[in-house]
Amino acid sequence: FVGTGSVSGAILGFGAAGLLAQVTSPRNLVLAAAGVMLAAAALTFGVPEHKDTVEEEALGTIPLGEALARPYVRLVALLLLVSTVALTFGDFLFKMAVADAVDPEQLAETFAMLYLALNVASLAVQVLLVGRVIRRAGVVVSLLALPLLMLFGAAGIMVGLGAGAAIALKGADSSLRHTLHRTAVELLFVPMPQRVQRGVKGLVDVFGQRGGQALASVLILGALAAGATAPWLALGLLMLLAAWVGIALKLRQPYVAVFRGT
């Protein structure tokens, strides 16, 4: 339900942005987005506060240092970091390719329509495929789907296929990142003892997501300053995707071992 709500909101948002882009400037789209975010924040005042049960209070939380000393926890954190860096690289390459291929006056409308189509595909994946794939293929195999599909788009950009390869790259990202990949990542936390989950999940999420985005931004800025072009950035993305696949494969045995231990 959370994944479907997120994707459905993206579809409505990009559809509205596409319509507004035809009659107003991108500056006004930013203002409209700020208004929607304020409205969303206001809705949280009606959400009841979570209170720990007696059992949860008695369980406590493992110290962060002790949790990160566990190889499985470190692998999960590393997977989140590397995957976020790779996804940020892919998103930049997509926007770079579209900006080169489309008239600047048409960029806002073009991005809105592209993201609308990509999120419709994402909703179909969320509703029709995620449960079936995870039940039949398992969590670790599900983690491999996104990087393996992104490899084709990155390779296409590297050999000069341009916007078509970039859209294919973003298509894999948009359809799987917030559906199959996100669900599989959440399931990586399931076999952890509750004390470990409570101690690391929030920090690992922040470290992997925000830390990965910040690291990717620094790497992209450095590469551009050094004169890197899209094919060279695509080569860097290929290396990141290879690391992502390697970490996911390495998680298989510890994932099962942690389940057995718990």
Side-chain angles (χ1 to χ4, degrees):
F1 284 111
V2 172
T4 302
S6 174
V7 175
S8 300
I11 291 171
L12 291 173
F14 285 119
L19 294 174
L20 287 172
Q22 297 178 28
V23 297
T24 188
S25 69
R27 182 186 299 274
N28 292 328
L29 292 181
V30 176
L31 184 62
V36 174
M37 287 186 176
L38 284 172
L43 292 175
T44 65
F45 290 108
V47 178
E49 183 180 354
H50 170 72
K51 297 185 183 298
D52 289 341
T53 63
V54 174
E55 181 182 351
E56 286 176 324
E57 290 175 349
L59 194 61
T61 300
I62 191 171
L64 180 61
E66 184 180 339
L68 291 176
R70 303 182 179 215
Y72 178 73
V73 174
R74 292 202 303 271
L75 274 176
V76 171
L78 185 60
L79 177 79
L80 283 169
L81 179 67
V82 172
S83 63
T84 301
V85 173
L87 289 166
T88 306
F89 260 76
D91 189 57
F92 179 79
L93 280 166
F94 163 70
K95 290 172 180 170
M96 187 178 183
V98 174
D100 286 341
V102 176
D103 189 306
E105 295 296 324
Q106 300 298 317
L107 276 179
E109 186 178 347
T110 301
F111 276 123
M113 292 298 99
L114 281 172
Y115 277 114
L116 174 62
L118 293 171
N119 278 282
V120 169
S122 179
L123 181 62
V125 170
Q126 177 72 28
V127 174
L128 300 176
L129 294 180
V130 170
R132 291 183 176 90
V133 171
I134 288 181
R135 279 194 297 271
R136 294 182 182 181
V139 171
V140 173
V141 173
S142 299
L143 287 170
L144 295 172
L146 178 52
L148 290 177
L149 285 176
M150 288 179 68
L151 280 169
F152 292 101
I157 294 173
M158 192 173 168
V159 298
L161 296 183
I167 291 173
L169 175 69
K170 189 61 182 178
D173 176 354
S174 293
S175 60
L176 295 181
R177 185 200 302 204
H178 298 295
T179 55
L180 183 62
H181 177 68
R182 177 177 175 178
T183 304
V185 167
E186 288 296 322
L187 289 172
L188 290 176
F189 291 95
V190 171
M192 294 181 188
Q194 285 194 351
R195 292 179 66 240
V196 177
Q197 276 192 45
R198 288 160 60 89
V200 303
K201 189 175 187 303
L203 187 64
V204 165
D205 276 344
V206 171
F207 167 75
Q209 297 293 330
R210 303 307 172 206
Q213 289 172 340
L215 176 59
S217 299
V218 170
L219 292 174
I220 290 169
L221 287 170
L224 293 176
T229 57
W232 285 104
L233 291 174
L235 176 60
L237 176 57
L238 284 170
M239 296 169 64
L240 288 165
L241 292 170
W244 180 350
V245 169
I247 297 166
L249 290 172
K250 197 170 182 179
L251 269 167
R252 186 181 184 89
Q253 188 173 353
Y255 177 74
V256 176
V258 171
F259 247 122
R260 288 174 175 162
T262 304

PDB file of all heavy atoms in Angstrom, residues 17-58:
ATOM      1  N   ALA A  17       1.770  18.497 -13.455  1.00  0.00           N
ATOM      2  CA  ALA A  17       2.903  19.332 -13.881  1.00  0.00           C
ATOM      3  C   ALA A  17       2.930  19.486 -15.395  1.00  0.00           C
ATOM      4  O   ALA A  17       3.224  20.564 -15.919  1.00  0.00           O
ATOM      5  CB  ALA A  17       4.215  18.718 -13.388  1.00  0.00           C
ATOM      6  N   GLY A  18       2.611  18.399 -16.114  1.00  0.00           N
ATOM      7  CA  GLY A  18       2.589  18.479 -17.566  1.00  0.00           C
ATOM      8  C   GLY A  18       1.539  19.459 -18.074  1.00  0.00           C
ATOM      9  O   GLY A  18       1.781  20.218 -19.022  1.00  0.00           O
ATOM     10  N   LEU A  19       0.368  19.447 -17.427  1.00  0.00           N
ATOM     11  CA  LEU A  19      -0.694  20.380 -17.830  1.00  0.00           C
ATOM     12  C   LEU A  19      -0.314  21.821 -17.487  1.00  0.00           C
ATOM     13  O   LEU A  19      -0.494  22.736 -18.294  1.00  0.00           O
ATOM     14  CB  LEU A  19      -2.005  19.996 -17.139  1.00  0.00           C
ATOM     15  CG  LEU A  19      -2.611  18.645 -17.567  1.00  0.00           C
ATOM     16  CD1 LEU A  19      -3.817  18.309 -16.699  1.00  0.00           C
ATOM     17  CD2 LEU A  19      -2.998  18.676 -19.044  1.00  0.00           C
ATOM     18  N   LEU A  20       0.223  22.027 -16.281  1.00  0.00           N
ATOM     19  CA  LEU A  20       0.597  23.380 -15.866  1.00  0.00           C
ATOM     20  C   LEU A  20       1.750  23.935 -16.707  1.00  0.00           C
ATOM     21  O   LEU A  20       1.809  25.134 -16.959  1.00  0.00           O
ATOM     22  CB  LEU A  20       0.985  23.378 -14.383  1.00  0.00           C
ATOM     23  CG  LEU A  20      -0.164  23.216 -13.378  1.00  0.00           C
ATOM     24  CD1 LEU A  20       0.387  23.035 -11.970  1.00  0.00           C
ATOM     25  CD2 LEU A  20      -1.085  24.426 -13.433  1.00  0.00           C
ATOM     26  N   ALA A  21       2.655  23.047 -17.123  1.00  0.00           N
ATOM     27  CA  ALA A  21       3.810  23.506 -17.914  1.00  0.00           C
ATOM     28  C   ALA A  21       3.390  24.107 -19.250  1.00  0.00           C
ATOM     29  O   ALA A  21       4.141  24.876 -19.847  1.00  0.00           O
ATOM     30  CB  ALA A  21       4.773  22.344 -18.141  1.00  0.00           C
ATOM     31  N   GLN A  22       2.194  23.764 -19.712  1.00  0.00           N
ATOM     32  CA  GLN A  22       1.714  24.302 -20.978  1.00  0.00           C
ATOM     33  C   GLN A  22       1.197  25.738 -20.845  1.00  0.00           C
ATOM     34  O   GLN A  22       1.076  26.441 -21.845  1.00  0.00           O
ATOM     35  CB  GLN A  22       0.603  23.408 -21.539  1.00  0.00           C
ATOM     36  CG  GLN A  22       1.069  21.997 -21.857  1.00  0.00           C
ATOM     37  CD  GLN A  22      -0.052  21.114 -22.359  1.00  0.00           C
ATOM     38  OE1 GLN A  22      -1.019  21.603 -22.948  1.00  0.00           O
ATOM     39  NE2 GLN A  22       0.066  19.812 -22.143  1.00  0.00           N
ATOM     40  N   VAL A  23       0.890  26.138 -19.599  1.00  0.00           N
ATOM     41  CA  VAL A  23       0.280  27.463 -19.421  1.00  0.00           C
ATOM     42  C   VAL A  23       1.068  28.377 -18.492  1.00  0.00           C
ATOM     43  O   VAL A  23       0.725  29.553 -18.347  1.00  0.00           O
ATOM     44  CB  VAL A  23      -1.169  27.322 -18.885  1.00  0.00           C
ATOM     45  CG1 VAL A  23      -2.032  26.584 -19.895  1.00  0.00           C
ATOM     46  CG2 VAL A  23      -1.188  26.600 -17.545  1.00  0.00           C
ATOM     47  N   THR A  24       2.119  27.855 -17.861  1.00  0.00           N
ATOM     48  CA  THR A  24       2.874  28.692 -16.933  1.00  0.00           C
ATOM     49  C   THR A  24       4.345  28.311 -16.977  1.00  0.00           C
ATOM     50  O   THR A  24       4.743  27.360 -17.660  1.00  0.00           O
ATOM     51  CB  THR A  24       2.321  28.563 -15.498  1.00  0.00           C
ATOM     52  OG1 THR A  24       2.968  29.532 -14.654  1.00  0.00           O
ATOM     53  CG2 THR A  24       2.563  27.173 -14.937  1.00  0.00           C
ATOM     54  N   SER A  25       5.177  29.042 -16.224  1.00  0.00           N
ATOM     55  CA  SER A  25       6.631  28.827 -16.272  1.00  0.00           C
ATOM     56  C   SER A  25       7.059  27.802 -15.219  1.00  0.00           C
ATOM     57  O   SER A  25       6.354  27.561 -14.235  1.00  0.00           O
ATOM     58  CB  SER A  25       7.352  30.150 -15.994  1.00  0.00           C
ATOM     59  OG  SER A  25       7.167  30.538 -14.642  1.00  0.00           O
ATOM     60  N   PRO A  26       8.242  27.190 -15.393  1.00  0.00           N
ATOM     61  CA  PRO A  26       8.765  26.262 -14.386  1.00  0.00           C
ATOM     62  C   PRO A  26       8.877  26.894 -12.999  1.00  0.00           C
ATOM     63  O   PRO A  26       8.734  26.201 -11.991  1.00  0.00           O
ATOM     64  CB  PRO A  26      10.133  25.872 -14.948  1.00  0.00           C
ATOM     65  CG  PRO A  26       9.995  26.046 -16.425  1.00  0.00           C
ATOM     66  CD  PRO A  26       9.086  27.220 -16.596  1.00  0.00           C
ATOM     67  N   ARG A  27       9.132  28.203 -12.928  1.00  0.00           N
ATOM     68  CA  ARG A  27       9.226  28.880 -11.631  1.00  0.00           C
ATOM     69  C   ARG A  27       7.911  28.695 -10.858  1.00  0.00           C
ATOM     70  O   ARG A  27       7.903  28.443  -9.651  1.00  0.00           O
ATOM     71  CB  ARG A  27       9.511  30.366 -11.834  1.00  0.00           C
ATOM     72  CG  ARG A  27       9.682  31.151 -10.532  1.00  0.00           C
ATOM     73  CD  ARG A  27       9.820  32.626 -10.826  1.00  0.00           C
ATOM     74  NE  ARG A  27      10.988  32.898 -11.660  1.00  0.00           N
ATOM     75  CZ  ARG A  27      12.210  33.088 -11.163  1.00  0.00           C
ATOM     76  NH1 ARG A  27      12.417  33.051  -9.866  1.00  0.00           N
ATOM     77  NH2 ARG A  27      13.211  33.354 -11.965  1.00  0.00           N
ATOM     78  N   ASN A  28       6.783  28.793 -11.550  1.00  0.00           N
ATOM     79  CA  ASN A  28       5.491  28.623 -10.894  1.00  0.00           C
ATOM     80  C   ASN A  28       5.218  27.171 -10.515  1.00  0.00           C
ATOM     81  O   ASN A  28       4.472  26.893  -9.575  1.00  0.00           O
ATOM     82  CB  ASN A  28       4.367  29.156 -11.785  1.00  0.00           C
ATOM     83  CG  ASN A  28       4.439  30.670 -11.921  1.00  0.00           C
ATOM     84  OD1 ASN A  28       4.859  31.362 -11.004  1.00  0.00           O
ATOM     85  ND2 ASN A  28       4.042  31.193 -13.084  1.00  0.00           N
ATOM     86  N   LEU A  29       5.822  26.237 -11.245  1.00  0.00           N
ATOM     87  CA  LEU A  29       5.695  24.829 -10.867  1.00  0.00           C
ATOM     88  C   LEU A  29       6.348  24.582  -9.509  1.00  0.00           C
ATOM     89  O   LEU A  29       5.853  23.800  -8.701  1.00  0.00           O
ATOM     90  CB  LEU A  29       6.343  23.928 -11.924  1.00  0.00           C
ATOM     91  CG  LEU A  29       5.680  23.851 -13.303  1.00  0.00           C
ATOM     92  CD1 LEU A  29       6.449  22.893 -14.205  1.00  0.00           C
ATOM     93  CD2 LEU A  29       4.237  23.408 -13.174  1.00  0.00           C
ATOM     94  N   VAL A  30       7.481  25.247  -9.270  1.00  0.00           N
ATOM     95  CA  VAL A  30       8.156  25.106  -7.972  1.00  0.00           C
ATOM     96  C   VAL A  30       7.249  25.627  -6.849  1.00  0.00           C
ATOM     97  O   VAL A  30       7.126  25.017  -5.783  1.00  0.00           O
ATOM     98  CB  VAL A  30       9.506  25.858  -7.977  1.00  0.00           C
ATOM     99  CG1 VAL A  30      10.150  25.792  -6.598  1.00  0.00           C
ATOM    100  CG2 VAL A  30      10.436  25.257  -9.015  1.00  0.00           C
ATOM    101  N   LEU A  31       6.592  26.748  -7.106  1.00  0.00           N
ATOM    102  CA  LEU A  31       5.668  27.313  -6.112  1.00  0.00           C
ATOM    103  C   LEU A  31       4.495  26.366  -5.856  1.00  0.00           C
ATOM    104  O   LEU A  31       4.093  26.149  -4.706  1.00  0.00           O
ATOM    105  CB  LEU A  31       5.161  28.673  -6.593  1.00  0.00           C
ATOM    106  CG  LEU A  31       4.251  29.439  -5.626  1.00  0.00           C
ATOM    107  CD1 LEU A  31       4.988  29.761  -4.328  1.00  0.00           C
ATOM    108  CD2 LEU A  31       3.744  30.723  -6.285  1.00  0.00           C
ATOM    109  N   ALA A  32       3.946  25.783  -6.925  1.00  0.00           N
ATOM    110  CA  ALA A  32       2.841  24.835  -6.774  1.00  0.00           C
ATOM    111  C   ALA A  32       3.286  23.612  -5.970  1.00  0.00           C
ATOM    112  O   ALA A  32       2.552  23.117  -5.098  1.00  0.00           O
ATOM    113  CB  ALA A  32       2.328  24.412  -8.144  1.00  0.00           C
ATOM    114  N   ALA A  33       4.496  23.115  -6.246  1.00  0.00           N
ATOM    115  CA  ALA A  33       5.016  21.960  -5.512  1.00  0.00           C
ATOM    116  C   ALA A  33       5.157  22.274  -4.029  1.00  0.00           C
ATOM    117  O   ALA A  33       4.845  21.442  -3.163  1.00  0.00           O
ATOM    118  CB  ALA A  33       6.360  21.539  -6.089  1.00  0.00           C
ATOM    119  N   ALA A  34       5.631  23.492  -3.705  1.00  0.00           N
ATOM    120  CA  ALA A  34       5.777  23.886  -2.306  1.00  0.00           C
ATOM    121  C   ALA A  34       4.417  23.886  -1.613  1.00  0.00           C
ATOM    122  O   ALA A  34       4.291  23.447  -0.457  1.00  0.00           O
ATOM    123  CB  ALA A  34       6.425  25.270  -2.219  1.00  0.00           C
ATOM    124  N   GLY A  35       3.386  24.360  -2.311  1.00  0.00           N
ATOM    125  CA  GLY A  35       2.050  24.371  -1.723  1.00  0.00           C
ATOM    126  C   GLY A  35       1.528  22.972  -1.439  1.00  0.00           C
ATOM    127  O   GLY A  35       0.944  22.707  -0.384  1.00  0.00           O
ATOM    128  N   VAL A  36       1.776  22.033  -2.364  1.00  0.00           N
ATOM    129  CA  VAL A  36       1.344  20.648  -2.159  1.00  0.00           C
ATOM    130  C   VAL A  36       2.094  20.021  -0.981  1.00  0.00           C
ATOM    131  O   VAL A  36       1.520  19.284  -0.172  1.00  0.00           O
ATOM    132  CB  VAL A  36       1.554  19.821  -3.444  1.00  0.00           C
ATOM    133  CG1 VAL A  36       1.248  18.351  -3.194  1.00  0.00           C
ATOM    134  CG2 VAL A  36       0.661  20.350  -4.562  1.00  0.00           C
ATOM    135  N   MET A  37       3.383  20.318  -0.865  1.00  0.00           N
ATOM    136  CA  MET A  37       4.164  19.771   0.260  1.00  0.00           C
ATOM    137  C   MET A  37       3.654  20.297   1.599  1.00  0.00           C
ATOM    138  O   MET A  37       3.589  19.555   2.588  1.00  0.00           O
ATOM    139  CB  MET A  37       5.651  20.103   0.085  1.00  0.00           C
ATOM    140  CG  MET A  37       6.311  19.298  -1.008  1.00  0.00           C
ATOM    141  SD  MET A  37       8.099  19.611  -1.061  1.00  0.00           S
ATOM    142  CE  MET A  37       8.578  18.447  -2.332  1.00  0.00           C
ATOM    143  N   LEU A  38       3.296  21.571   1.645  1.00  0.00           N
ATOM    144  CA  LEU A  38       2.725  22.124   2.877  1.00  0.00           C
ATOM    145  C   LEU A  38       1.407  21.424   3.224  1.00  0.00           C
ATOM    146  O   LEU A  38       1.138  21.116   4.389  1.00  0.00           O
ATOM    147  CB  LEU A  38       2.498  23.627   2.721  1.00  0.00           C
ATOM    148  CG  LEU A  38       3.747  24.505   2.819  1.00  0.00           C
ATOM    149  CD1 LEU A  38       3.398  25.947   2.455  1.00  0.00           C
ATOM    150  CD2 LEU A  38       4.341  24.450   4.224  1.00  0.00           C
ATOM    151  N   ALA A  39       0.587  21.170   2.208  1.00  0.00           N
ATOM    152  CA  ALA A  39      -0.676  20.471   2.445  1.00  0.00           C
ATOM    153  C   ALA A  39      -0.424  19.053   2.955  1.00  0.00           C
ATOM    154  O   ALA A  39      -1.105  18.571   3.882  1.00  0.00           O
ATOM    155  CB  ALA A  39      -1.497  20.435   1.152  1.00  0.00           C
ATOM    156  N   ALA A  40       0.576  18.373   2.387  1.00  0.00           N
ATOM    157  CA  ALA A  40       0.911  17.026   2.834  1.00  0.00           C
ATOM    158  C   ALA A  40       1.402  17.037   4.286  1.00  0.00           C
ATOM    159  O   ALA A  40       1.056  16.170   5.091  1.00  0.00           O
ATOM    160  CB  ALA A  40       1.975  16.419   1.924  1.00  0.00           C
ATOM    161  N   ALA A  41       2.220  18.054   4.619  1.00  0.00           N
ATOM    162  CA  ALA A  41       2.711  18.164   5.994  1.00  0.00           C
ATOM    163  C   ALA A  41       1.554  18.385   6.967  1.00  0.00           C
ATOM    164  O   ALA A  41       1.539  17.840   8.081  1.00  0.00           O
ATOM    165  CB  ALA A  41       3.714  19.312   6.099  1.00  0.00           C
ATOM    166  N   ALA A  42       0.556  19.170   6.550  1.00  0.00           N
ATOM    167  CA  ALA A  42      -0.592  19.441   7.422  1.00  0.00           C
ATOM    168  C   ALA A  42      -1.358  18.154   7.731  1.00  0.00           C
ATOM    169  O   ALA A  42      -1.915  17.997   8.827  1.00  0.00           O
ATOM    170  CB  ALA A  42      -1.510  20.466   6.763  1.00  0.00           C
ATOM    171  N   LEU A  43      -1.386  17.213   6.783  1.00  0.00           N
ATOM    172  CA  LEU A  43      -2.110  15.961   7.005  1.00  0.00           C
ATOM    173  C   LEU A  43      -1.506  15.140   8.139  1.00  0.00           C
ATOM    174  O   LEU A  43      -2.199  14.339   8.763  1.00  0.00           O
ATOM    175  CB  LEU A  43      -2.109  15.123   5.720  1.00  0.00           C
ATOM    176  CG  LEU A  43      -2.924  15.671   4.547  1.00  0.00           C
ATOM    177  CD1 LEU A  43      -2.711  14.797   3.318  1.00  0.00           C
ATOM    178  CD2 LEU A  43      -4.400  15.732   4.901  1.00  0.00           C
ATOM    179  N   THR A  44      -0.216  15.318   8.402  1.00  0.00           N
ATOM    180  CA  THR A  44       0.425  14.499   9.436  1.00  0.00           C
ATOM    181  C   THR A  44      -0.061  14.845  10.835  1.00  0.00           C
ATOM    182  O   THR A  44       0.131  14.060  11.769  1.00  0.00           O
ATOM    183  CB  THR A  44       1.957  14.661   9.390  1.00  0.00           C
ATOM    184  OG1 THR A  44       2.303  16.026   9.719  1.00  0.00           O
ATOM    185  CG2 THR A  44       2.496  14.346   8.015  1.00  0.00           C
ATOM    186  N   PHE A  45      -0.673  16.008  11.003  1.00  0.00           N
ATOM    187  CA  PHE A  45      -1.160  16.359  12.341  1.00  0.00           C
ATOM    188  C   PHE A  45      -2.300  15.456  12.786  1.00  0.00           C
ATOM    189  O   PHE A  45      -2.608  15.367  13.967  1.00  0.00           O
ATOM    190  CB  PHE A  45      -1.602  17.833  12.378  1.00  0.00           C
ATOM    191  CG  PHE A  45      -0.466  18.803  12.285  1.00  0.00           C
ATOM    192  CD1 PHE A  45      -0.250  19.536  11.135  1.00  0.00           C
ATOM    193  CD2 PHE A  45       0.412  18.964  13.346  1.00  0.00           C
ATOM    194  CE1 PHE A  45       0.810  20.431  11.036  1.00  0.00           C
ATOM    195  CE2 PHE A  45       1.486  19.846  13.261  1.00  0.00           C
ATOM    196  CZ  PHE A  45       1.679  20.585  12.100  1.00  0.00           C
ATOM    197  N   GLY A  46      -2.942  14.788  11.853  1.00  0.00           N
ATOM    198  CA  GLY A  46      -4.023  13.877  12.222  1.00  0.00           C
ATOM    199  C   GLY A  46      -3.566  12.456  12.473  1.00  0.00           C
ATOM    200  O   GLY A  46      -4.379  11.585  12.808  1.00  0.00           O
ATOM    201  N   VAL A  47      -2.255  12.196  12.312  1.00  0.00           N
ATOM    202  CA  VAL A  47      -1.745  10.837  12.499  1.00  0.00           C
ATOM    203  C   VAL A  47      -1.449  10.602  13.981  1.00  0.00           C
ATOM    204  O   VAL A  47      -0.714  11.380  14.597  1.00  0.00           O
ATOM    205  CB  VAL A  47      -0.460  10.631  11.667  1.00  0.00           C
ATOM    206  CG1 VAL A  47       0.095   9.231  11.890  1.00  0.00           C
ATOM    207  CG2 VAL A  47      -0.759  10.861  10.191  1.00  0.00           C
ATOM    208  N   PRO A  48      -2.035   9.554  14.593  1.00  0.00           N
ATOM    209  CA  PRO A  48      -1.771   9.309  16.013  1.00  0.00           C
ATOM    210  C   PRO A  48      -0.310   8.978  16.267  1.00  0.00           C
ATOM    211  O   PRO A  48       0.347   8.333  15.443  1.00  0.00           O
ATOM    212  CB  PRO A  48      -2.674   8.112  16.346  1.00  0.00           C
ATOM    213  CG  PRO A  48      -2.957   7.466  15.036  1.00  0.00           C
ATOM    214  CD  PRO A  48      -2.945   8.554  14.017  1.00  0.00           C
ATOM    215  N   GLU A  49       0.201   9.427  17.397  1.00  0.00           N
ATOM    216  CA  GLU A  49       1.602   9.195  17.740  1.00  0.00           C
ATOM    217  C   GLU A  49       1.809   7.736  18.097  1.00  0.00           C
ATOM    218  O   GLU A  49       0.998   7.119  18.786  1.00  0.00           O
ATOM    219  CB  GLU A  49       1.983  10.074  18.929  1.00  0.00           C
ATOM    220  CG  GLU A  49       3.455   9.962  19.324  1.00  0.00           C
ATOM    221  CD  GLU A  49       3.794  10.850  20.513  1.00  0.00           C
ATOM    222  OE1 GLU A  49       2.918  11.625  20.931  1.00  0.00           O
ATOM    223  OE2 GLU A  49       4.929  10.747  21.006  1.00  0.00           O
ATOM    224  N   HIS A  50       2.931   7.177  17.619  1.00  0.00           N
ATOM    225  CA  HIS A  50       3.255   5.795  17.951  1.00  0.00           C
ATOM    226  C   HIS A  50       3.829   5.731  19.365  1.00  0.00           C
ATOM    227  O   HIS A  50       4.694   6.515  19.736  1.00  0.00           O
ATOM    228  CB  HIS A  50       4.291   5.243  16.964  1.00  0.00           C
ATOM    229  CG  HIS A  50       4.855   3.909  17.380  1.00  0.00           C
ATOM    230  ND1 HIS A  50       4.129   2.745  17.323  1.00  0.00           N
ATOM    231  CD2 HIS A  50       6.067   3.570  17.885  1.00  0.00           C
ATOM    232  CE1 HIS A  50       4.871   1.741  17.762  1.00  0.00           C
ATOM    233  NE2 HIS A  50       6.053   2.223  18.105  1.00  0.00           N
ATOM    234  N   LYS A  51       3.324   4.780  20.140  1.00  0.00           N
ATOM    235  CA  LYS A  51       3.855   4.572  21.491  1.00  0.00           C
ATOM    236  C   LYS A  51       4.390   3.156  21.584  1.00  0.00           C
ATOM    237  O   LYS A  51       3.722   2.197  21.205  1.00  0.00           O
ATOM    238  CB  LYS A  51       2.751   4.791  22.535  1.00  0.00           C
ATOM    239  CG  LYS A  51       2.206   6.219  22.542  1.00  0.00           C
ATOM    240  CD  LYS A  51       1.206   6.404  23.673  1.00  0.00           C
ATOM    241  CE  LYS A  51       0.606   7.804  23.640  1.00  0.00           C
ATOM    242  NZ  LYS A  51       1.626   8.851  23.833  1.00  0.00           N
ATOM    243  N   ASP A  52       5.609   3.044  22.085  1.00  0.00           N
ATOM    244  CA  ASP A  52       6.198   1.718  22.230  1.00  0.00           C
ATOM    245  C   ASP A  52       5.378   0.879  23.187  1.00  0.00           C
ATOM    246  O   ASP A  52       4.893   1.352  24.217  1.00  0.00           O
ATOM    247  CB  ASP A  52       7.635   1.827  22.776  1.00  0.00           C
ATOM    248  CG  ASP A  52       8.587   2.391  21.739  1.00  0.00           C
ATOM    249  OD1 ASP A  52       8.240   2.350  20.549  1.00  0.00           O
ATOM    250  OD2 ASP A  52       9.659   2.876  22.131  1.00  0.00           O
ATOM    251  N   THR A  53       5.221  -0.394  22.832  1.00  0.00           N
ATOM    252  CA  THR A  53       4.561  -1.310  23.750  1.00  0.00           C
ATOM    253  C   THR A  53       5.524  -1.663  24.883  1.00  0.00           C
ATOM    254  O   THR A  53       6.728  -1.408  24.813  1.00  0.00           O
ATOM    255  CB  THR A  53       4.152  -2.593  23.014  1.00  0.00           C
ATOM    256  OG1 THR A  53       5.348  -3.247  22.557  1.00  0.00           O
ATOM    257  CG2 THR A  53       3.260  -2.285  21.813  1.00  0.00           C
ATOM    258  N   VAL A  54       4.988  -2.269  25.923  1.00  0.00           N
ATOM    259  CA  VAL A  54       5.832  -2.686  27.055  1.00  0.00           C
ATOM    260  C   VAL A  54       6.898  -3.661  26.572  1.00  0.00           C
ATOM    261  O   VAL A  54       8.060  -3.604  26.972  1.00  0.00           O
ATOM    262  CB  VAL A  54       4.951  -3.327  28.153  1.00  0.00           C
ATOM    263  CG1 VAL A  54       5.830  -3.908  29.261  1.00  0.00           C
ATOM    264  CG2 VAL A  54       3.983  -2.304  28.715  1.00  0.00           C
ATOM    265  N   GLU A  55       6.482  -4.553  25.657  1.00  0.00           N
ATOM    266  CA  GLU A  55       7.437  -5.537  25.142  1.00  0.00           C
ATOM    267  C   GLU A  55       8.567  -4.855  24.392  1.00  0.00           C
ATOM    268  O   GLU A  55       9.737  -5.194  24.556  1.00  0.00           O
ATOM    269  CB  GLU A  55       6.704  -6.505  24.213  1.00  0.00           C
ATOM    270  CG  GLU A  55       7.608  -7.593  23.633  1.00  0.00           C
ATOM    271  CD  GLU A  55       6.861  -8.509  22.688  1.00  0.00           C
ATOM    272  OE1 GLU A  55       5.622  -8.413  22.620  1.00  0.00           O
ATOM    273  OE2 GLU A  55       7.529  -9.324  22.016  1.00  0.00           O
ATOM    274  N   GLU A  56       8.235  -3.842  23.563  1.00  0.00           N
ATOM    275  CA  GLU A  56       9.268  -3.128  22.813  1.00  0.00           C
ATOM    276  C   GLU A  56      10.191  -2.346  23.732  1.00  0.00           C
ATOM    277  O   GLU A  56      11.397  -2.283  23.524  1.00  0.00           O
ATOM    278  CB  GLU A  56       8.609  -2.175  21.811  1.00  0.00           C
ATOM    279  CG  GLU A  56       7.998  -2.884  20.609  1.00  0.00           C
ATOM    280  CD  GLU A  56       7.266  -1.912  19.706  1.00  0.00           C
ATOM    281  OE1 GLU A  56       6.659  -0.967  20.235  1.00  0.00           O
ATOM    282  OE2 GLU A  56       7.304  -2.103  18.488  1.00  0.00           O
ATOM    283  N   GLU A  57       9.620  -1.740  24.782  1.00  0.00           N
ATOM    284  CA  GLU A  57      10.447  -0.994  25.728  1.00  0.00           C
ATOM    285  C   GLU A  57      11.406  -1.916  26.450  1.00  0.00           C
ATOM    286  O   GLU A  57      12.565  -1.575  26.690  1.00  0.00           O
ATOM    287  CB  GLU A  57       9.550  -0.261  26.722  1.00  0.00           C
ATOM    288  CG  GLU A  57       8.782   0.910  26.100  1.00  0.00           C
ATOM    289  CD  GLU A  57       7.815   1.532  27.081  1.00  0.00           C
ATOM    290  OE1 GLU A  57       7.595   0.921  28.146  1.00  0.00           O
ATOM    291  OE2 GLU A  57       7.281   2.614  26.796  1.00  0.00           O
ATOM    292  N   ALA A  58      10.926  -3.116  26.797  1.00  0.00           N
ATOM    293  CA  ALA A  58      11.788  -4.076  27.489  1.00  0.00           C
ATOM    294  C   ALA A  58      12.885  -4.587  26.559  1.00  0.00           C
ATOM    295  O   ALA A  58      13.989  -4.894  26.989  1.00  0.00           O
ATOM    296  CB  ALA A  58      10.948  -5.245  28.001  1.00  0.00           C
TER     297      ALA A  58
END
